[in-house]
């Protein structure tokens, strides 16, 4: 076989391969119209949130806990990355027990008062499917920091005061994102961690009566289960 004939055969084989390659690639995996994944446009989300607190009880039972939650959430995608910036403002209806130092444990609760909490956080949300949805669902993980406050100076005879606390936040969520509507739904399970301060009266000892605690504070986890009605804004 001459060198010229060899070059001709090689060139023909390359042309044939280049012609067949797109067809071969099209046969691998799902056809675009049959794929469970869909690209989603990068937009901003504003969500109206309602839900329920599932935690918040500290070691001695002095902190505000329980109650309904409602508020607003804002999300905006960050460039071409699967990250979004997230900010949330929430109000939680909460109540706490009034603890009476110097009394036996069985008689220590002197009443129950309403003490709502306000929560604000700034976080980053990682879209687990990237800038795509899977069967119209977008799961995500959120991590950030924020503040929790009772928004007023509330104390009782024991001198307990919640005040304003630093709060790391960690959560998981999923958003339903159909391509045909700017209105979507989301569900989130988030954990707000913060310390609960104890006054000196909780640590004072009384003859024959055990003190409430020896600690100056303790950390607790306030778990929130929320549902959101989301409006997508921005380009379409």
């Amino acid at each position: 076989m001459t060198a010229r004939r060899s070059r001709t055969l090689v060139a023909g084989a390359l042309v044939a391969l280049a012609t067949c390659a797109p067809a071969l690639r099209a046969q691998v995996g799902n056809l675009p119209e049959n794929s469970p994944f869909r690209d989603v446009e990068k937009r901003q989300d504003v969500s109206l949130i309602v839900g329920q607190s599932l935690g918040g009880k500290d070691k001695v039972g002095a902190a505000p806990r329980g109650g309904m939650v409602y508020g607003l959430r804002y999300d905006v995608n960050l460039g071409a990355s699967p990250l979004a910036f997230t900010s949330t403002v929430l109000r939680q209806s909460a109540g706490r027990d009034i603890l009476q130092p110097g009394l036996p444990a069985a008689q220590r609760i002197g009443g129950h008062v309403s003490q709502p909490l306000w929560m604000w956080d700034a976080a980053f949300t990682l879209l687990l499917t990237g800038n795509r949805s899977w069967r119209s669902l977008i799961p995500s993980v959120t991590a950030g920091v924020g503040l929790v406050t009772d928004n007023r100076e509330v104390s009782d005879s024991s001198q307990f005061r919640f005040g304003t606390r630093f709060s790391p936040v960690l959560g998981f969520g999923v958003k339903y994102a159909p391509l045909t509507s700017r209105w979507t739904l989301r569900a989130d399970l988030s954990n707000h961690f913060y310390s609960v301060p104890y006054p000196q009266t909780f640590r004072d000892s009384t003859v024959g009566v055990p003190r409430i605690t020896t600690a100056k504070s303790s950390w607790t986890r306030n778990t929130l289960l929320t549902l959101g009605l989301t409006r997508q804004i921005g380009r379409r």
Side-chain angles (χ1 to χ4, degrees), residues 56-65 97 99 108 160 194-198 202 211-221:
K57 184 176 181 179
D58 62 300
K59 290 182 178 180
V60 304
R65 60 187 184 275
D97 294 330
L99 302 186
R108 190 167 287 161
F160 174 83
Y194 48 81
S195 65
V196 180
Y198 298 139
F202 281 21
R211 68 189 71 191
I212 294 178
T213 183
T214 59
K216 293 184 178 181
S217 65
S218 70
W219 280 81
T220 188
R221 179 183 65 188

Side-chain angles (χ1 to χ4, degrees), residues 55-112:
K57 184 176 181 179
D58 62 300
K59 290 182 178 180
V60 304
R65 60 187 184 275
M68 293 291 297
V69 177
Y70 60 89
L72 292 172
R73 170 173 171 148
Y74 171 76
D75 294 85
V76 58
N77 289 91
L78 299 179
S81 73
L83 284 175
F85 171 77
T86 300
S87 183
T88 306
V89 178
L90 298 171
R91 183 185 187 276
Q92 176 184 320
S93 300
R96 67 177 178 88
D97 294 330
I98 298 176
L99 302 186
Q100 303 178 103
L103 294 179
Q107 305 172 20
R108 190 167 287 161
I109 298 178
H112 188 81

Side-chain angles (χ1 to χ4, degrees), residues 36-186:
F37 292 95
R38 292 287 187 273
D39 292 334
V40 294
E41 292 188 39
K42 297 175 183 178
R43 303 173 186 168
Q44 303 172 62
D45 289 350
V46 178
S47 304
L48 178 63
I49 296 174
V50 295
Q52 177 70 36
S53 166
L54 306 176
K57 184 176 181 179
D58 62 300
K59 290 182 178 180
V60 304
R65 60 187 184 275
M68 293 291 297
V69 177
Y70 60 89
L72 292 172
R73 170 173 171 148
Y74 171 76
D75 294 85
V76 58
N77 289 91
L78 299 179
S81 73
L83 284 175
F85 171 77
T86 300
S87 183
T88 306
V89 178
L90 298 171
R91 183 185 187 276
Q92 176 184 320
S93 300
R96 67 177 178 88
D97 294 330
I98 298 176
L99 302 186
Q100 303 178 103
L103 294 179
Q107 305 172 20
R108 190 167 287 161
I109 298 178
H112 188 81
V113 294
S114 173
Q115 191 164 350
L117 295 177
W118 286 87
M119 304 177 188
W120 171 84
D121 59 72
F124 290 104
T125 296
L126 174 64
L127 309 179
L128 298 181
T129 54
N131 295 311
R132 299 181 299 171
S133 65
W134 178 82
R135 301 191 184 281
S136 297
L137 299 177
I138 304 176
S140 61
V141 175
T142 298
V145 295
L147 296 173
V148 178
T149 180
D150 60 6
N151 198 37
R152 52 181 178 167
E153 296 294 334
V154 178
S155 62
D156 51 47
S157 58
S158 72
Q159 300 177 18
F160 174 83
R161 179 176 297 166
F162 184 83
T164 300
R165 316 304 297 172
F166 170 75
S167 176
V169 179
L170 181 64
F172 171 80
V174 60
K175 182 173 72 171
Y176 175 64
L179 298 178
T180 57
S181 175
R182 285 181 177 265
W183 291 97
T184 67
L185 298 173
R186 66 176 305 115

